């Protein structure tokens, strides 16, 4: 019997990790192995998923839609070969990934009969799309939506999401769900049954227009300097995230999340030392080395 695979895609900061954590919590006893890909060598998302499941594999230093396809295939073979194989595999793509490349990797002959791609769920940040309509013309965003069997609208809150739903519905046949729905329709998402659907191959949209900066320090950051610097950098960033400790708050690690100019600091439940920070932006607008210099006082080595 083939092991079902769920692929979760979505643009930077859309809420993919949040969705996967909800699936892990609400999976009704299903054993789920999560494979998490992040852009760069510091895999923050894998750590966040690991809070909910011990069966988490992080893939780093690239994107599994292109440079890490070999790592993905090797990882899947190891998971399949386990004596206590999971009931389901969930793959989280990086926020700059075109799912088509991962779909192609999952169709490798070496995996035939062992796994089946049940569905691609693409998380769409409703708040971002309404505030920034040009996002829907972004080729990576469009590729993620076009690949979806299910569209999940996140961050709807008090927004009127009906116009966005109508626009998405006009260009996609995928059912549209709301991420804040309670309870989450786990059976629909985890057993969508799209594995036998014909998927048309198409060229993969490249991620080479993005640049990133990764910083790791042994000591704590300085809170005020960090906040001021991130405020200055925010207009050049698409995404930032990190696990941080601050000299002003010893013993209280925090999770930092920034999507556009919206930023949060929240308690992080696992003990850490030092800081790990990832910044992502578009080449020509975001200068990683300038950002490194700007953060030198806030994140001393």
């Amino acid at each position: 019997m083939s092991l079902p695979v769920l692929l979760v895609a979505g643009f930077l900061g859309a809420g993919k990790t949040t969705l996967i954590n909800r699936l892990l919590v609400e999976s009704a006893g299903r054993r789920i192995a999560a494979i998490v890909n992040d852009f760069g060598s510091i895999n923050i998302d894998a750590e966040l998923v690991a809070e909910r499941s011990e069966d988490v594999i992080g893939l780093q230093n690239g994107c599994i839609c292109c440079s890490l396809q070999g790592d993905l295939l090797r990882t899947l073979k190891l998971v399949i070969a386990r004596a206590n194989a999971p009931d389901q595999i969930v793959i989280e793509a990086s926020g700059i990934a075109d799912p088509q490349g991962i779909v192609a990797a999952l169709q490798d002959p070496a995996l035939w009969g062992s796994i089946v791609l049940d569905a691609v769920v693409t998380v769409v940040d409703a708040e971002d799309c309404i505030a920034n309509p040009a996002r829907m013309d972004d080729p990576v965003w469009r590729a993620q939506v076009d690949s979806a069997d299910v569209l999940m609208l996140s961050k709807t809150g008090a927004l009127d999401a009906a116009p966005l739903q109508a626009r998405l519905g006009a260009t996609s046949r995928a059912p549209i769900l709301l991420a804040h729905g309670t309870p989450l329709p786990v059976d629909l998402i985890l057993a969508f049954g799209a594995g036998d659907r014909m998927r048309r191959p198409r060229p993969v949209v490249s991620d080479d227009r993005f640049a990133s900066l990764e910083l790791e320090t042994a000591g704590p950051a300085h809170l005020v300097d960090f906040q001021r610097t991130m405020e200055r950098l925010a207009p050049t960033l698409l995404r930032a995230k990190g696990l941080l400790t601050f000299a002003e708050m010893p013993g209280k690690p925090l999770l930092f999340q920034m999507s556009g100019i919206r930023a949060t600091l929240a308690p992080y439940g696992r003990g850490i030392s030092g800081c790990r920070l990832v910044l992502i932006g578009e080449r020509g607008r975001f200068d990683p080395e300038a950002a490194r210099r700007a953060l030198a006082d806030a994140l001393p080595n």
Side-chain angles (χ1 to χ4, degrees):
M1 182 177 178
S2 299
L3 196 61
V5 175
L6 175 74
L7 173 58
V8 178
F11 202 70
L12 297 160
K16 299 181 294 298
T17 302
T18 299
L19 172 61
I20 289 174
N21 277 333
R22 285 197 64 188
L23 291 173
L24 292 172
V25 169
E26 301 176 28
S27 61
R30 279 190 185 89
R31 292 171 298 152
I32 298 175
I35 299 174
V36 180
N37 179 217
D38 215 345
F39 184 62
S41 60
I42 300 177
N43 199 330
I44 302 294
D45 287 353
E47 300 223 19
L48 300 182
V49 175
E51 288 193 280
R52 302 292 183 187
S53 171
E54 294 181 356
D55 200 357
V56 177
I57 303 134
L59 297 180
Q60 301 165 292
N61 289 316
C63 176
I64 54 178
C65 72
C66 41
S67 61
L68 287 184
Q69 281 194 6
D71 287 349
L72 174 61
L73 294 176
R74 284 188 289 274
T75 299
L76 288 168
K77 290 176 184 177
L78 289 173
V79 172
I80 294 165
R82 291 177 181 172
N84 58 337
D87 301 313
Q88 185 104 22
I89 298 174
V90 175
I91 300 173
E92 179 187 350
S94 80
I96 61 168
D98 178 348
Q100 179 67 26
I102 304 170
V103 170
L106 295 175
Q107 294 172 344
D108 189 283
L111 298 175
W112 286 353
S114 299
I115 67 167
V116 60
L117 176 60
D118 254 5
V120 177
V121 176
T122 296
V123 184
V124 175
D125 184 338
E127 186 178 75
D128 179 47
C129 290
I130 292 172
N132 180 22
R135 176 71 67 222
M136 291 182 276
D137 297 321
D138 184 286
V140 172
W141 186 95
R142 190 72 252 171
Q144 293 166 346
V145 170
D146 289 346
S147 297
D149 298 302
V150 179
L151 293 173
M152 177 72 72
L153 281 186
S154 67
K155 305 180 189 178
T156 51
L159 296 173
D160 178 10
L164 175 60
Q165 286 181 270
R167 181 170 175 179
L168 288 169
T171 58
S172 172
R173 295 182 180 180
I176 301 172
L177 307 176
L178 299 180
H180 67 257
T182 302
L184 194 69
V186 173
D187 286 340
L188 173 61
I189 296 171
L190 289 183
F192 191 75
D196 58 352
R197 183 173 300 180
M198 292 295 293
R199 298 178 183 273
R200 294 181 180 178
R202 58 169 173 76
V204 177
V205 176
S206 173
D207 62 5
D208 60 6
R209 78 173 204 264
F210 299 97
S212 69
L213 171 65
E214 297 146 19
L215 293 173
E216 193 161 3
T217 67
H222 300 300
L223 181 59
V224 174
D225 286 340
F226 178 79
Q227 290 175 320
R228 288 175 178 169
T229 304
M230 291 309 303
E231 286 175 5
R232 293 199 303 272
L233 293 175
T236 70
L237 296 172
L238 290 169
R239 184 78 165 102
K241 52 192 169 183
L243 298 173
L244 307 172
T245 59
F246 290 101
E248 299 86 347
M249 305 170 66
K252 296 181 179 179
L254 297 174
L255 168 65
F256 171 66
Q257 299 263 28
M258 174 183 279
S259 191
I261 61 172
R262 179 180 180 178
T264 60
L265 279 169
Y268 182 64
R270 306 174 80 185
I272 62 170
S273 60
C275 300
R276 279 167 283 170
L277 180 68
V278 179
L279 310 180
I280 303 172
E282 292 196 73
R283 296 184 191 277
R285 188 174 185 191
F286 170 58
D287 183 339
E289 290 311 309
R292 186 189 302 276
R293 293 192 296 271
L295 284 162
D297 291 334
L299 288 166
N301 289 321

